[in-house]
Amino acid sequence: MGDGRSVLVLTNPYDVTADVVLRLLAERRVPVVRLDPGTDLHMDASLTATYGPGGQRGILRTASREIDTTRIRSVWVRRPSPYEGPQGLSDQDRRFAAEQARWGAGGFLASLPGVHYVNHPWANRDAEFKPMQLSAARRCGFRVPDTVITNDPCEAREFVGQQPGGVVYKPLWNTPYRVDGRPHSVWVREVREPEITDAVAVCPHLFQAKVGKAFDARVTAVGDQLFGVRIDSPDLDWRRRQDLMACTPIEVPESVAGPVVSYLAELRLTYGAFDFAVTTADDWYFLECNPNGQWAWQPAETTGAVAHAIAGQLEKGPRT
């Protein structure tokens, strides 16, 4: 049983993955407050922060609860909505309100003293940058495919020409994109030298040596607990047609486990979803780490184990 201090979960109301962990916390009698600050603070929630001789204090009121923020043990930054401002305002006023909420409420919720964050929002933000991921991965001892990030078409063509096994293109960020008004996903795909046009000069592009993989692997890390899954898919990017992929639990080799733990420590993360390409020689190549990646799509035993690990992190609160 917990000590009465609450867990604050920052996520949107449609996040069914969070519900899996919330049920476990309820079974453990750990109080939980759920908040979507980007929208709730424009509706039926309020947040007041004070700074005085007694230090920092805060009162968070939702439709069902009122909590002294000094009574928060852990904050789970899951999938909160973006700060977009309330409906019904002019574009300029809505943008102003959204930015004030982000820097005010968001800043306060990211600076609660003595709280355990999974993960801290600023650590999440920093760890989203792919150049940061690639740099940290090499320092931590992962195998990393040769990679170039460039907006120089000549450099891109030269890199593609130097890779005998082929090259793939990856977007540096999953920017919302529409074709004929419909949402369009930009998947990882193989590119050839003649496809590199001068349009590369418009913005930086990421090109990476293609790994001759036997299968993909996902390692979900929660603290020092690692959960591996083998992914067999007919696609280069297994996310494209998930109905065609097969997932089975797999042991994480020590040569990978050590760098995973080092990576989390360097980027100040408690949680990370690591993707690898694994060759027939059992060489694991780091592809990326999503600091807030989804995990409930994995086999039931893995999903359950990850949920219990996250609940455990939130229940224990800050290290003492």
Side-chain angles (χ1 to χ4, degrees), residues 92-273:
Q92 177 174 270
D93 288 346
R94 187 178 185 190
R95 190 163 54 248
F96 180 85
E99 289 297 297
Q100 298 305 306
R102 177 189 173 206
W103 292 95
F108 177 74
L109 293 172
S111 58
L112 300 176
V115 164
H116 182 40
Y117 286 90
V118 182
N119 294 311
H120 193 285
W122 299 338
N124 271 346
R125 174 202 60 199
D126 294 347
E128 291 278 12
F129 288 90
K130 281 189 169 59
M132 168 72 86
Q133 294 182 22
L134 294 167
S135 179
R138 285 196 175 276
R139 287 194 300 273
C140 292
F142 288 115
R143 295 176 183 268
V144 180
D146 289 344
T147 305
V148 65
I149 299 173
T150 184
N151 69 326
D152 185 327
C154 295
E155 292 283 353
R157 294 188 194 101
E158 182 179 352
F159 178 77
V160 173
Q162 292 173 344
Q163 304 300 323
V167 168
V168 299
Y169 162 76
K170 302 178 179 181
L172 287 156
W173 180 254
N174 290 325
T175 305
Y177 198 85
R178 290 182 173 270
V179 176
D180 297 328
R182 301 179 64 182
H184 180 78
S185 295
V186 182
W187 307 107
V188 176
R189 73 175 188 91
E190 192 166 3
V191 293
R192 306 187 188 283
E193 192 171 347
E195 296 178 273
I196 307 297
T197 71
D198 290 344
V200 167
V202 170
C203 63
H205 291 62
L206 187 155
F207 300 99
Q208 193 168 70
K210 183 182 177 183
V211 177
K213 63 184 179 182
F215 58 89
D216 289 279
R218 162 64 64 90
V219 175
T220 305
V222 185
D224 58 1
Q225 298 183 71
L226 309 184
F227 308 94
V229 168
R230 170 176 173 150
I231 303 171
D232 290 284
S233 169
D235 296 323
L236 178 64
D237 189 334
W238 56 261
R239 300 169 303 170
R240 185 174 184 179
R241 296 184 293 176
Q242 295 189 33
D243 58 316
L244 298 182
M245 72 181 186
C247 300
T248 52
I250 188 175
E251 288 292 324
V252 181
E254 186 55 41
S255 60
V256 173
V260 165
V261 174
S262 297
Y263 185 100
L264 293 180
E266 177 163 335
L267 273 66
R268 300 174 294 113
L269 302 173
T270 299
Y271 173 92

